[in-house]
Every structure is written in C-alpha cells, then in structure tokens.
C-alpha cells in the first residue's frame, strides 16, 4: 500500500510536466548544495486487461539541456521515452511512426519474445515518414525485470541512441511482490550522455571517436541534471538503473552507502549482494537497494573514472585534442562526476533488507560449445573494422545455427590488439556467466549483456527457449556494432 502511494507521488510529479525540463537544474548543479529538482519518473504506459497498446513516434525534439537549447531525438517528445509496463502473458501493440529523416526500427532489449514477424525483429526497416505496428506476447513465465527499447537499424544505431532514443520497458512480477522490495521506494534511473554543439545540434563524431565509441560530456538522469533522490531515514530506496548511453560506462558509487544488488539484466538474483560500487556497461541494467541508515544529509551518486582500454585509440574524452589524444589514457571520464543527489527527508520505522529474492535456476551442461573471438582490423582507408571471428556483419549470412531447447556454452575471447573493452549482448535469450578468465562467477545471475575486457575470456551458458528464428549478438558499444561487430544466430526447430 505504502509503496504504491510513493510510486503515484513520483508519477504525479512527472505527469504535471509536459516533456523535458532541464534548464532550471543547471544553476543548482553549479552552485552545489542548493536544492535540485526531484528526480522525475516520466510518463508510464501500463497494460490493461492483458494488452499494452500505444502510439509511439520517433521525432526531432527541441529541449533545454543545462543552459543550452538542443535538437535531440525523442520518443513521443520525451527524454527518455515513455516507460512501458506490462505483466507476463500480456500482448503488446506499438503503432510506431518514424518521423526521422533516416530509416529506423525498434528493438526490445532483454525481452524474451519472438525475433520473427513484427516483433523483436531488427531486420525490419521503417523508412522516414512510414509506420509499422509491432505486436508480440510476453510468455506467461516471463521474469520480472528492467528492460528497454531503442532503435536497432544497422548503421544508424549509435547515432540514433546518442540522439536520445531510448525508453524503459518493465515487466512486473515476483520480484515486485517480495515484501521488503514492495516496501521500498522505487526510482527508475536512465543514464544518457550527450555532445551538443554551440548551435544546438548533436555533435557528429569523427572516425576516431567512432572507433573508440562516441561519448558526450553532458550526462543526464531521466532527462535531468543532478536531480535529487529523496530517501527517508530508516527507509529503503530501490534504484532501477539503465545505461542507455551508446558507449559510456558508468562506475557508480553512492557516498556513505553500500549498494545492495537485487537484480541484473534478466531480473532477480537469489539473495542481495553488497557492493561498494557498480559498473554498468552500455545496455546493462541493475537494481540496487539503498538503506537510509546514515545521518540525514545529502549524499552524491558518483560516476567514478573508468578506463575502458584502447591504448592506440585513446580515450573517449579526447574531443578537440587532435591526434595527441591517441596517446592518451583510454578513459570514459577524466574526473569523478555527480549524477544525482540522495537527500534524506523524514524518517520511517527501519525497513529491513530482503533475505531471499528468487531462485536462479542451475543450467544443465551444454550440448555444444562455441568460441567467439572479438577483434578489430584495418578496413578501407583509415577506417577500422570491428569483427567477430574475423568477419564483419552480414545480415544475409548465418553465423551460428542453434537448436531450440538446447543449452550452449559460448567462450567469448577478446583478442582485440588494442585491448578495448567490448560489452557482448545477445538478443531474445538471456544467459548466465559461468566464468571469467577461468574463475567461476561469485553468484548466479541472468544477463543479456556482459563486459569482456581486453585479453579476457568469458564463458556464458545460453538456453535457447520458446522461439525459433534469426536474431543477432553484438558489441553494445553501438559504434562497434555499426562498424561490423555483430553476428547472426538462427534458432532452428528442435
Ligand atoms: Cu540494446 Cu541489439 O541491443
Ligand atoms: Cu538488445
Ligand atoms: Cu566493442
């Protein structure tokens, strides 16, 4: 009861605003401790009577970012796009219109749905000015979790996601019914970065920035700069985090507080895991609980410096440094940044952490093993090609043929001579990480995106379930995907 009320409160404050409110935040951020606006939760579109039905439009949208005006790309004029919410077994109908000046489409990242027809089919193309109705049904046993949607038209993915096109897709279920989770105050946190020119356009990356993976210096949370996250002393805050940036990594830490991990990409883990910091690669999600067990005060949610490798390429933050940047450290951020501020407000009787969240099934031994090497090589001219097993993406070629109702183990080997991080992502079927460099994972979790650092070998186990058809796996540094680091998997009937 209590948690529903809190949720409505957040929803109401968001509902009162039309679209994107960013300008009033810039002062608060530069002045430090003065009040920032409360984190907005944006519009939510819920399923009703088993149907989630909506119109969705991708368009250019003028917004205020800090002290600047910018023309970004948005779903239904909102940044991030509306949050879609459904339950296992629901049918989803999205009447999509492309009002961009280039082709696009939609992908439902993390959902276990069919890759065929007008569903999670990234081979579809919606030309400028045209419409397409997406329709799919969530399996009745679909796990609860934090998923998301974004464009997936090969060659335009990084550009369109960097423009702002991303939205949450949540599935409610068992995890939401755990009493301690239910009692927690829920806050969705969508992390995006932008690079805006003085003319208010999205900066076009040069070839070097594309090879590193484009990043922008302006980081916003649910479309806001350094918003405030209220927390009652004694209370619990459930942060549902999404890295919706095309290339930027977020290494999150909350001053004075541990983060208690309760869910990963694919939903609940078995028991909470206490973390002092959390690394989110592009595409990854995590849910953490924060206990209001400190002195009432303000605590910053920090983004700590992170080096994502790439000695030759230099870092993402080298814009304007010219070729000198090539020798620099490959680092997402030069300095620690403040993303949001947790502010104690009021107090409640102490809410405990949950003990048990769910069960993560133990997968059987694989029937088949494969090895996928991540690499890059010189392409035409000065360009680089990003490769899986020596090949660049070809939508017509089948790279992997898998059988429905089997379990496979994939050995992901990063042999990139530049030792860049490559977050690996698979559509349709979530997987479990078995080991990293031969070391078993400390706990079991369902993932759809896993970081494979330079020189690392990560073994994942994938059960191919429910759906046949052709889909993809790729690096979720979206420039790498657009530059060829993607393969096809065709799931054939058993
Ligand atoms: Cu989030 Cu194939 O992508
Ligand atoms: Cu995806
Ligand atoms: Cu990559």
């Amino acid at each position: 009861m209590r948690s529903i009320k809190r949720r409505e409160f957040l929803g109401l404050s968001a509902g009162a605003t039309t679209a994107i409110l960013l300008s009033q935040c810039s002062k608060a951020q530069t002045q430090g401790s003065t009040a920032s606006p409360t984190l907005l939760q944006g519009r939510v579109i819920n399923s009703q009577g088993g149907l989630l039905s909506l119109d969705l439009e991708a368009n250019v949208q003028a917004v205020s970012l800090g002290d600047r005006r910018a023309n970004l790309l948005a779903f239904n004029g909102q940044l991030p796009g509306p949050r879609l919410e459904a339950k296992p077994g629901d049918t989803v109908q999205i009447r999509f219109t492309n009002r961009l000046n280039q082709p696009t489409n939609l992908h439902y990242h993390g959902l276990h749905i069919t890759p065929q027809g007008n569903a999670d089919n990234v081979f579809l193309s919606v030309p400028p000015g045209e419409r397409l109705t997406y329709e799919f049904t969530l399996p009745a046993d679909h796990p609860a979790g934090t998923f998301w949607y974004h464009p997936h038209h090969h060659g335009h993915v990084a550009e369109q996601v960097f423009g702002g096109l991303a939205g949450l897709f949540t599935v409610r279920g068992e995890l939401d019914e755990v009493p301690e989770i239910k009692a927690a105050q829920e806050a969705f946190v969508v992390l995006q970065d932008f690079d805006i020119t003085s003319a208010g356009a999205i900066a076009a990356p040069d070839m070097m920035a594309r090879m590193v993976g484009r990043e922008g210096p302006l980081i916003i949370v649910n479309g806001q700069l350094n918003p405030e996250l209220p927390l009652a002393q004694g209370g619990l805050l459930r942060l549902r985090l999404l890295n919706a940036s095309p290339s930027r990594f977020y290494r999150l830490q909350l001053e004075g507080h541990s983060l208690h991990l309760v869910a990963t990409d694919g939903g609940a883990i078995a028991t909470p895991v206490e973390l002092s910091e959390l690394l989110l690669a592009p595409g990854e999600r995590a849910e953490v609980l924060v206990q209001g067990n400190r002195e009432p005060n303000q605590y910053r949610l920090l983004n700590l410096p992170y080096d994502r490798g790439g000695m030759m390429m230099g870092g993402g933050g080298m814009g304007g440094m010219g070729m000198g940047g090539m020798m620099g450290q490959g680092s997402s951020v030069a300095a620690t940044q403040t993303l949001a501020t947790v502010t104690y407000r009021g107090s409640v009787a102490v809410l405990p952490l949950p003990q048990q969240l769910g069960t993560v099934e133990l997968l059987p031994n694989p029937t088949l093993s494969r090895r996928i090497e991540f690499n890059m090589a010189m392409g035409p001219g000065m360009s680089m090609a990003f490769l899986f097993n020596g090949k660049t993406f070809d939508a017509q070629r089948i790279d992997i043929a898998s059988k429905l109702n089997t379990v496979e183990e994939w050995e992901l080997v990063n042999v990139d001579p530049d030792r860049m991080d490559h977050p690996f992502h698979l559509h349709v079927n979530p997987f479990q990480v078995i080991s990293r460099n031969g070391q078993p994972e400390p706990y079991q979790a369902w993932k759809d995106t896993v970081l494979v650092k330079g020189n690392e070998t990560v073994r994942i186990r994938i059960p191919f379930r429910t759906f046949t058809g052709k889909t993809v796996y790729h690096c979720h540094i979206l420039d790498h995907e657009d530059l060829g680091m993607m393969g096809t998997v065709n799931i054939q009937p058993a």
Side-chain angles (χ1 to χ4, degrees), residues 142-153:
H142 197 290
T146 313
F147 309 101
W148 63 300
Y149 60 96
H150 63 79
H152 213 293
H153 196 288

Side-chain angles (χ1 to χ4, degrees), residues 105-405:
N105 63 11
L106 292 177
H107 163 53
Y108 307 91
H109 182 132
L111 289 184
H112 182 54
I113 54 175
T114 179
Q116 300 199 52
N118 288 359
D120 192 22
N121 183 347
V122 296
F123 302 102
L124 295 173
S125 176
V126 186
E130 300 211 355
R131 292 158 193 271
L132 181 84
T133 298
Y134 284 93
E135 179 159 352
F136 53 86
T137 298
L138 298 171
D141 60 352
H142 197 290
T146 313
F147 309 101
W148 63 300
Y149 60 96
H150 63 79
H152 213 293
H153 196 288
H154 182 60
H156 294 293
V157 186
E159 179 183 357
Q160 292 176 3
V161 172
F162 200 50
L165 290 171
L168 285 163
F169 192 119
T170 50
V171 179
R172 291 281 175 200
E174 266 178 51
L175 178 61
D176 303 282
E177 298 306 317
V178 172
E180 294 86 353
I181 299 270
K182 212 170 177 174
Q185 181 177 322
E186 180 177 61
F188 290 91
V189 175
V190 178
L191 301 167
Q192 294 174 291
D193 65 334
F194 293 93
D195 190 1
I196 310 295
T197 67
S198 51
I202 301 160
D206 58 16
M207 195 57 202
M208 188 63 71
R210 294 186 65 203
M211 288 189 279
V212 174
R214 66 190 80 189
E215 291 187 13
L218 188 61
I219 300 178
I220 63 169
V221 179
N222 294 5
Q224 298 170 277
L225 283 164
N226 189 16
E228 185 178 283
L229 279 157
L231 172 59
Q233 194 176 36
L236 271 182
L237 182 58
R238 176 188 183 188
L239 296 177
R240 305 187 66 171
L241 302 150
L242 160 65
N243 181 351
S245 287
S247 320
R248 182 180 283 278
F249 284 49
Y250 296 92
R251 188 179 151 216
L252 304 171
Q253 186 171 64
L254 179 58
E255 287 180 318
H257 294 77
S258 295
L259 304 173
H260 299 270
L261 184 73
V262 294
T264 55
D265 298 335
I269 56 176
T271 53
V273 173
E274 186 173 357
L275 304 172
S276 59
E277 59 177 72
L278 170 72
L279 181 66
L280 272 189
E284 283 189 305
R285 290 87 63 215
E287 292 191 36
V288 297
L289 295 176
V290 173
Q291 291 178 290
N293 55 6
R294 303 304 297 249
E295 286 304 302
N297 206 333
Q298 294 197 311
Y299 299 90
R300 295 174 299 168
L301 177 65
L302 300 172
N303 184 28
L304 302 176
Y306 179 76
D307 179 356
R308 55 189 179 88
M311 297 311 288
M312 273 153 56
M313 294 296 181
M318 60 182 223
M321 284 170 59
M323 296 302 276
M326 288 184 76
M327 306 310 290
Q329 285 283 310
S331 173
S332 276
V333 279
T336 297
Q337 295 143 297
T338 301
L339 301 180
T341 305
V342 169
T343 303
Y344 277 58
R345 285 204 194 290
S347 67
V348 296
V350 174
L351 295 174
L353 286 171
Q355 298 293 312
Q356 186 70 33
L357 301 162
T359 46
V360 180
E361 70 176 289
L362 191 64
L363 291 173
N365 285 329
T367 47
L368 199 94
S369 296
R370 304 180 192 272
R371 177 185 166 92
I372 301 179
E373 284 191 357
F374 302 16
N375 211 338
M376 68 167 192
M378 292 300 289
M382 277 290 283
S383 71
M384 287 280 177
F386 288 84
L387 311 166
F388 284 134
N389 287 341
K391 292 175 193 154
T392 183
F393 178 65
D394 176 352
Q396 305 309 317
R397 188 184 65 223
I398 302 293
D399 294 301
I400 290 178
S402 300
K403 277 244 177 319
L404 190 65
N405 299 329

